[in-house]
Amino acid sequence: MSNPATPPAVGVLDERAPLTFPPGFLWGAATAAYQIEGAAAEGGRTPSIWDTFSRTEGRTVAGHTGDVACDHYHRLSDDVRLMAELGLKSYRFSVSWPRVQPGGSGPANAEGLDFYRRLVDELLANGIEPWLTLYHWDLPQELEDAGGWPARDTAARFADYSQLMVDALGDRVKYWTTLNEPWCSAFLGYGSGVHAPGRSDGADAVRAGHHLMLGHGLAVQALRAARPEAQLGVTVNLYPVTPATDSPDDRDAARRIDGLANRFFLDPLLRGQYPGDLVADLAKVTDFGHVRDGDLATIATPLDLVGVNYYSRHVVAAPVPGAKPEPYWRAPSCWPGSEDVRFVTRGVPVTDMNWEIDAPGLVETLRRVHEEYTDLPLYVTENGSAFVDAVIDGKVDDVDRLAYFDAHLRAAHEAIGAGVPLRGYFAWSLLDNFEWAWGYTKRFGMIYVDYDSQTRIPKSSARWYAEVIRRNGLAAQ
Ligand code: FCB
């Protein structure tokens, strides 16, 4: 029984208070080229691995492709107007490599560059800071045919492409991230094969991860030399990894998955080394013979910021012989050498992706990067949720998505209070879009897209986010 004279716990009061973010906090929304642009064969664009993959039977739900997507290529001005109505301070988009450098080598395609020049100019004209991601998974098919990311030369090709982009847009784009989520490119693309190019070989996945990071380092050097004033970074997708119980075996399972999911990237990028325990865990998969002298120094080329994408947590348990493997991205084959670790669910609420909703995990993740790895400014470059939306009387009242954003922004604020130099937050996503292997069946947007008519309807979460941006924080609850 509670004593009526007892004041409420401090935490409760804090939750109800309005939360203000630091001045200049960069409020944004994110998208990616293949997920929204469409116009797959226009303006000189050639196929990427995602075109090939999505056109291959059985690879995406209902055979969906990005051929048309949100038709953003033809609706750029309307979409920028929607961003301006939201009051976005920044827009994070990615460049389609085969649109600007068809085939992945040789000269730039002027028509492709013009599209991004127009985008950037319209953003700037609307007071929206462009944030450019160079690689959000659409490798030119020709480079995959030449070996893809497991081949070392792809890193050099990526640096050339980055040079071409900074030559074209370096005068007007300040924020650049090289890679988006190299874990997905490497371990879903070449490990489990649920993402393009759909290959499945543990050693190739590890090599791909290394060459992605090498390409990142080379690109940072090229960008830095061209534009010393630019803000350069990389985006990694991180997960807190929690053992299901405190048993030594479960804790070891958590150590292994943390190694593959998080430290595989954080340690080389921010410390210039692979963790010893990870190398040992992978001993049966690879001898790391693909790592050459000097690679790790290149990979650890100094940055200006780190982008963190956060969606959920992994809870794992020690292997049990004969246990049934988890489907999709937790499929055993995206964890080479640790295939038998079990991913467990806790029965907490999940999104339409079946991802557990875990806002405190964002605090944990940001604090970890700051406290264990770097003093650099951090940005949440993606955070969001898929839910089933219904259009009723021309409106979409996405209360679940709104609550997800609200909880995670409260977590972001808590992380700032704990000393994390968090400088911005990008909602995933501006628009409903092509959700990779799930096609158009999962909606992450703050703006609803009717794919038949290409009508856009800002959802309740969009209106709410506009208010958050206007206040630079959250209203009292
Ligand atoms: C991230 C991707 C992004 C989107 C969200 C839901 O892993 O970077 O393109 O698919 O997940």
Side-chain angles (χ1 to χ4, degrees), residues 134-162:
L134 286 162
Y135 187 74
H136 201 128
W137 308 354
D138 39 3
L139 184 72
Q141 182 60 42
E142 287 81 350
L143 297 187
E144 173 58 25
D145 295 343
W149 285 111
R152 188 177 175 89
D153 188 54
T154 304
R157 299 280 65 76
F158 180 67
D160 283 359
Y161 151 66
S162 304

mmCIF file of all heavy atoms in Angstrom, residues 134-162:
data_model
loop_
_atom_site.group_PDB
_atom_site.id
_atom_site.type_symbol
_atom_site.label_atom_id
_atom_site.label_comp_id
_atom_site.label_asym_id
_atom_site.label_seq_id
_atom_site.Cartn_x
_atom_site.Cartn_y
_atom_site.Cartn_z
ATOM 1 N N LEU A 134 27.238 7.747 -48.696
ATOM 2 C CA LEU A 134 27.775 7.287 -49.983
ATOM 3 C C LEU A 134 27.334 5.874 -50.337
ATOM 4 O O LEU A 134 27.174 5.552 -51.513
ATOM 5 C CB LEU A 134 29.314 7.351 -49.953
ATOM 6 C CG LEU A 134 29.894 8.762 -50.058
ATOM 7 C CD1 LEU A 134 31.342 8.784 -49.578
ATOM 8 C CD2 LEU A 134 29.794 9.282 -51.493
ATOM 9 N N TYR A 135 27.181 5.021 -49.347
ATOM 10 C CA TYR A 135 26.867 3.622 -49.669
ATOM 11 C C TYR A 135 25.793 3.071 -48.751
ATOM 12 O O TYR A 135 26.045 2.751 -47.593
ATOM 13 C CB TYR A 135 28.125 2.750 -49.573
ATOM 14 C CG TYR A 135 27.857 1.341 -50.074
ATOM 15 C CD1 TYR A 135 27.721 1.102 -51.433
ATOM 16 C CD2 TYR A 135 27.714 0.273 -49.201
ATOM 17 C CE1 TYR A 135 27.436 -0.171 -51.912
ATOM 18 C CE2 TYR A 135 27.435 -1.007 -49.668
ATOM 19 C CZ TYR A 135 27.295 -1.220 -51.024
ATOM 20 O OH TYR A 135 27.016 -2.470 -51.505
ATOM 21 N N HIS A 136 24.586 2.993 -49.302
ATOM 22 C CA HIS A 136 23.494 2.346 -48.576
ATOM 23 C C HIS A 136 23.080 1.119 -49.394
ATOM 24 O O HIS A 136 21.962 1.015 -49.871
ATOM 25 C CB HIS A 136 22.342 3.331 -48.349
ATOM 26 C CG HIS A 136 21.428 2.959 -47.223
ATOM 27 N ND1 HIS A 136 21.091 3.829 -46.198
ATOM 28 C CD2 HIS A 136 20.753 1.817 -46.956
ATOM 29 C CE1 HIS A 136 20.246 3.227 -45.369
ATOM 30 N NE2 HIS A 136 20.023 2.009 -45.799
ATOM 31 N N TRP A 137 24.073 0.266 -49.664
ATOM 32 C CA TRP A 137 23.875 -1.116 -50.103
ATOM 33 C C TRP A 137 23.709 -1.369 -51.593
ATOM 34 O O TRP A 137 23.581 -2.525 -51.994
ATOM 35 C CB TRP A 137 22.695 -1.764 -49.369
ATOM 36 C CG TRP A 137 22.754 -1.648 -47.884
ATOM 37 C CD1 TRP A 137 23.783 -1.137 -47.127
ATOM 38 C CD2 TRP A 137 21.756 -2.051 -46.957
ATOM 39 N NE1 TRP A 137 23.465 -1.196 -45.799
ATOM 40 C CE2 TRP A 137 22.230 -1.756 -45.665
ATOM 41 C CE3 TRP A 137 20.496 -2.635 -47.107
ATOM 42 C CZ2 TRP A 137 21.490 -2.029 -44.508
ATOM 43 C CZ3 TRP A 137 19.761 -2.908 -45.951
ATOM 44 C CH2 TRP A 137 20.260 -2.608 -44.668
ATOM 45 N N ASP A 138 23.707 -0.324 -52.437
ATOM 46 C CA ASP A 138 23.458 -0.594 -53.854
ATOM 47 C C ASP A 138 24.755 -0.611 -54.665
ATOM 48 O O ASP A 138 25.041 0.299 -55.446
ATOM 49 C CB ASP A 138 22.407 0.357 -54.446
ATOM 50 C CG ASP A 138 22.518 1.790 -53.946
ATOM 51 O OD1 ASP A 138 23.451 2.081 -53.169
ATOM 52 O OD2 ASP A 138 21.687 2.623 -54.343
ATOM 53 N N LEU A 139 25.508 -1.681 -54.496
ATOM 54 C CA LEU A 139 26.764 -1.872 -55.240
ATOM 55 C C LEU A 139 26.459 -2.074 -56.730
ATOM 56 O O LEU A 139 25.582 -2.877 -57.072
ATOM 57 C CB LEU A 139 27.471 -3.124 -54.699
ATOM 58 C CG LEU A 139 28.853 -3.427 -55.287
ATOM 59 C CD1 LEU A 139 29.889 -2.423 -54.764
ATOM 60 C CD2 LEU A 139 29.299 -4.860 -54.928
ATOM 61 N N PRO A 140 27.188 -1.378 -57.627
ATOM 62 C CA PRO A 140 26.988 -1.654 -59.049
ATOM 63 C C PRO A 140 27.186 -3.151 -59.354
ATOM 64 O O PRO A 140 28.153 -3.766 -58.876
ATOM 65 C CB PRO A 140 28.065 -0.795 -59.725
ATOM 66 C CG PRO A 140 28.288 0.334 -58.764
ATOM 67 C CD PRO A 140 28.149 -0.294 -57.391
ATOM 68 N N GLN A 141 26.298 -3.718 -60.135
ATOM 69 C CA GLN A 141 26.323 -5.156 -60.404
ATOM 70 C C GLN A 141 27.667 -5.594 -60.993
ATOM 71 O O GLN A 141 28.164 -6.683 -60.690
ATOM 72 C CB GLN A 141 25.167 -5.532 -61.345
ATOM 73 C CG GLN A 141 25.063 -7.020 -61.649
ATOM 74 C CD GLN A 141 24.849 -7.873 -60.395
ATOM 75 O OE1 GLN A 141 24.075 -7.528 -59.514
ATOM 76 N NE2 GLN A 141 25.562 -9.002 -60.313
ATOM 77 N N GLU A 142 28.253 -4.758 -61.834
ATOM 78 C CA GLU A 142 29.535 -5.123 -62.459
ATOM 79 C C GLU A 142 30.605 -5.385 -61.394
ATOM 80 O O GLU A 142 31.470 -6.238 -61.576
ATOM 81 C CB GLU A 142 30.036 -4.002 -63.385
ATOM 82 C CG GLU A 142 29.267 -3.864 -64.683
ATOM 83 C CD GLU A 142 27.967 -3.086 -64.539
ATOM 84 O OE1 GLU A 142 27.547 -2.803 -63.399
ATOM 85 O OE2 GLU A 142 27.370 -2.760 -65.582
ATOM 86 N N LEU A 143 30.555 -4.625 -60.298
ATOM 87 C CA LEU A 143 31.570 -4.839 -59.247
ATOM 88 C C LEU A 143 31.298 -6.136 -58.489
ATOM 89 O O LEU A 143 32.236 -6.811 -58.047
ATOM 90 C CB LEU A 143 31.622 -3.643 -58.300
ATOM 91 C CG LEU A 143 32.040 -2.309 -58.932
ATOM 92 C CD1 LEU A 143 32.220 -1.244 -57.854
ATOM 93 C CD2 LEU A 143 33.317 -2.455 -59.756
ATOM 94 N N GLU A 144 30.031 -6.479 -58.351
ATOM 95 C CA GLU A 144 29.716 -7.789 -57.760
ATOM 96 C C GLU A 144 30.212 -8.897 -58.688
ATOM 97 O O GLU A 144 30.802 -9.887 -58.241
ATOM 98 C CB GLU A 144 28.204 -7.903 -57.508
ATOM 99 C CG GLU A 144 27.726 -9.273 -57.060
ATOM 100 C CD GLU A 144 28.384 -9.781 -55.791
ATOM 101 O OE1 GLU A 144 28.859 -8.969 -54.970
ATOM 102 O OE2 GLU A 144 28.452 -11.015 -55.646
ATOM 103 N N ASP A 145 30.007 -8.715 -59.991
ATOM 104 C CA ASP A 145 30.459 -9.736 -60.940
ATOM 105 C C ASP A 145 31.978 -9.898 -60.882
ATOM 106 O O ASP A 145 32.516 -10.963 -61.181
ATOM 107 C CB ASP A 145 30.031 -9.362 -62.370
ATOM 108 C CG ASP A 145 28.510 -9.357 -62.521
ATOM 109 O OD1 ASP A 145 27.821 -9.937 -61.654
ATOM 110 O OD2 ASP A 145 28.015 -8.729 -63.486
ATOM 111 N N ALA A 146 32.670 -8.833 -60.508
ATOM 112 C CA ALA A 146 34.131 -8.899 -60.392
ATOM 113 C C ALA A 146 34.570 -9.395 -59.010
ATOM 114 O O ALA A 146 35.761 -9.358 -58.684
ATOM 115 C CB ALA A 146 34.730 -7.518 -60.671
ATOM 116 N N GLY A 147 33.612 -9.829 -58.174
ATOM 117 C CA GLY A 147 33.977 -10.389 -56.864
ATOM 118 C C GLY A 147 33.251 -9.741 -55.699
ATOM 119 O O GLY A 147 33.231 -10.269 -54.597
ATOM 120 N N GLY A 148 32.690 -8.569 -55.917
ATOM 121 C CA GLY A 148 31.930 -7.909 -54.841
ATOM 122 C C GLY A 148 32.816 -7.481 -53.685
ATOM 123 O O GLY A 148 34.041 -7.355 -53.817
ATOM 124 N N TRP A 149 32.200 -7.265 -52.527
ATOM 125 C CA TRP A 149 32.973 -6.781 -51.368
ATOM 126 C C TRP A 149 34.003 -7.793 -50.844
ATOM 127 O O TRP A 149 35.011 -7.376 -50.246
ATOM 128 C CB TRP A 149 32.024 -6.338 -50.251
ATOM 129 C CG TRP A 149 31.379 -5.012 -50.552
ATOM 130 C CD1 TRP A 149 30.073 -4.780 -50.839
ATOM 131 C CD2 TRP A 149 32.027 -3.725 -50.602
ATOM 132 N NE1 TRP A 149 29.863 -3.438 -51.072
ATOM 133 C CE2 TRP A 149 31.038 -2.767 -50.927
ATOM 134 C CE3 TRP A 149 33.346 -3.288 -50.393
ATOM 135 C CZ2 TRP A 149 31.320 -1.396 -51.053
ATOM 136 C CZ3 TRP A 149 33.627 -1.924 -50.519
ATOM 137 C CH2 TRP A 149 32.631 -1.003 -50.837
ATOM 138 N N PRO A 150 33.837 -9.096 -51.056
ATOM 139 C CA PRO A 150 34.931 -9.994 -50.635
ATOM 140 C C PRO A 150 36.213 -9.746 -51.426
ATOM 141 O O PRO A 150 37.291 -10.183 -51.019
ATOM 142 C CB PRO A 150 34.362 -11.398 -50.910
ATOM 143 C CG PRO A 150 32.876 -11.220 -50.819
ATOM 144 C CD PRO A 150 32.612 -9.844 -51.395
ATOM 145 N N ALA A 151 36.122 -9.054 -52.559
ATOM 146 C CA ALA A 151 37.318 -8.750 -53.355
ATOM 147 C C ALA A 151 37.905 -7.398 -52.932
ATOM 148 O O ALA A 151 37.178 -6.408 -52.828
ATOM 149 C CB ALA A 151 36.959 -8.710 -54.844
ATOM 150 N N ARG A 152 39.202 -7.378 -52.729
ATOM 151 C CA ARG A 152 39.868 -6.188 -52.219
ATOM 152 C C ARG A 152 39.705 -4.967 -53.128
ATOM 153 O O ARG A 152 39.575 -3.832 -52.666
ATOM 154 C CB ARG A 152 41.360 -6.529 -52.041
ATOM 155 C CG ARG A 152 42.145 -5.462 -51.343
ATOM 156 C CD ARG A 152 43.584 -5.899 -51.130
ATOM 157 N NE ARG A 152 44.335 -4.802 -50.561
ATOM 158 C CZ ARG A 152 44.451 -4.568 -49.260
ATOM 159 N NH1 ARG A 152 43.893 -5.380 -48.388
ATOM 160 N NH2 ARG A 152 45.128 -3.526 -48.826
ATOM 161 N N ASP A 153 39.683 -5.205 -54.431
ATOM 162 C CA ASP A 153 39.628 -4.088 -55.362
ATOM 163 C C ASP A 153 38.363 -3.238 -55.193
ATOM 164 O O ASP A 153 38.350 -2.056 -55.542
ATOM 165 C CB ASP A 153 39.727 -4.602 -56.810
ATOM 166 C CG ASP A 153 39.864 -3.458 -57.792
ATOM 167 O OD1 ASP A 153 40.787 -2.625 -57.606
ATOM 168 O OD2 ASP A 153 39.027 -3.343 -58.713
ATOM 169 N N THR A 154 37.296 -3.840 -54.660
ATOM 170 C CA THR A 154 36.054 -3.079 -54.481
ATOM 171 C C THR A 154 36.279 -1.883 -53.553
ATOM 172 O O THR A 154 35.662 -0.827 -53.733
ATOM 173 C CB THR A 154 34.938 -4.010 -53.965
ATOM 174 O OG1 THR A 154 34.825 -5.098 -54.898
ATOM 175 C CG2 THR A 154 33.596 -3.316 -53.869
ATOM 176 N N ALA A 155 37.190 -2.033 -52.584
ATOM 177 C CA ALA A 155 37.491 -0.916 -51.683
ATOM 178 C C ALA A 155 38.091 0.254 -52.470
ATOM 179 O O ALA A 155 37.741 1.421 -52.243
ATOM 180 C CB ALA A 155 38.448 -1.373 -50.579
ATOM 181 N N ALA A 156 38.970 -0.065 -53.409
ATOM 182 C CA ALA A 156 39.592 0.996 -54.227
ATOM 183 C C ALA A 156 38.554 1.640 -55.136
ATOM 184 O O ALA A 156 38.556 2.861 -55.342
ATOM 185 C CB ALA A 156 40.732 0.412 -55.054
ATOM 186 N N ARG A 157 37.652 0.816 -55.675
ATOM 187 C CA ARG A 157 36.586 1.357 -56.530
ATOM 188 C C ARG A 157 35.713 2.324 -55.708
ATOM 189 O O ARG A 157 35.295 3.359 -56.189
ATOM 190 C CB ARG A 157 35.701 0.241 -57.098
ATOM 191 C CG ARG A 157 36.400 -0.794 -57.979
ATOM 192 C CD ARG A 157 36.604 -0.294 -59.405
ATOM 193 N NE ARG A 157 37.510 0.839 -59.490
ATOM 194 C CZ ARG A 157 38.838 0.772 -59.382
ATOM 195 N NH1 ARG A 157 39.448 -0.377 -59.200
ATOM 196 N NH2 ARG A 157 39.580 1.852 -59.450
ATOM 197 N N PHE A 158 35.438 1.952 -54.461
ATOM 198 C CA PHE A 158 34.602 2.800 -53.607
ATOM 199 C C PHE A 158 35.294 4.145 -53.347
ATOM 200 O O PHE A 158 34.642 5.203 -53.341
ATOM 201 C CB PHE A 158 34.299 2.084 -52.281
ATOM 202 C CG PHE A 158 33.440 2.894 -51.346
ATOM 203 C CD1 PHE A 158 32.116 3.170 -51.664
ATOM 204 C CD2 PHE A 158 33.958 3.396 -50.160
ATOM 205 C CE1 PHE A 158 31.320 3.940 -50.805
ATOM 206 C CE2 PHE A 158 33.167 4.154 -49.299
ATOM 207 C CZ PHE A 158 31.847 4.426 -49.619
ATOM 208 N N ALA A 159 36.590 4.110 -53.170
ATOM 209 C CA ALA A 159 37.330 5.370 -52.941
ATOM 210 C C ALA A 159 37.254 6.256 -54.185
ATOM 211 O O ALA A 159 37.076 7.473 -54.079
ATOM 212 C CB ALA A 159 38.776 5.060 -52.564
ATOM 213 N N ASP A 160 37.362 5.655 -55.369
ATOM 214 C CA ASP A 160 37.253 6.446 -56.612
ATOM 215 C C ASP A 160 35.883 7.108 -56.722
ATOM 216 O O ASP A 160 35.768 8.279 -57.082
ATOM 217 C CB ASP A 160 37.433 5.546 -57.845
ATOM 218 C CG ASP A 160 38.886 5.196 -58.074
ATOM 219 O OD1 ASP A 160 39.746 5.668 -57.296
ATOM 220 O OD2 ASP A 160 39.153 4.425 -59.022
ATOM 221 N N TYR A 161 34.880 6.307 -56.443
ATOM 222 C CA TYR A 161 33.503 6.829 -56.499
ATOM 223 C C TYR A 161 33.310 7.970 -55.485
ATOM 224 O O TYR A 161 32.697 9.004 -55.783
ATOM 225 C CB TYR A 161 32.532 5.666 -56.269
ATOM 226 C CG TYR A 161 31.207 6.002 -55.626
ATOM 227 C CD1 TYR A 161 30.268 6.799 -56.275
ATOM 228 C CD2 TYR A 161 30.887 5.490 -54.368
ATOM 229 C CE1 TYR A 161 29.043 7.092 -55.665
ATOM 230 C CE2 TYR A 161 29.672 5.772 -53.768
ATOM 231 C CZ TYR A 161 28.758 6.584 -54.413
ATOM 232 O OH TYR A 161 27.552 6.864 -53.808
ATOM 233 N N SER A 162 33.899 7.808 -54.311
ATOM 234 C CA SER A 162 33.782 8.845 -53.282
ATOM 235 C C SER A 162 34.456 10.136 -53.748
ATOM 236 O O SER A 162 33.945 11.243 -53.523
ATOM 237 C CB SER A 162 34.422 8.382 -51.970
ATOM 238 O OG SER A 162 33.842 7.170 -51.570
#
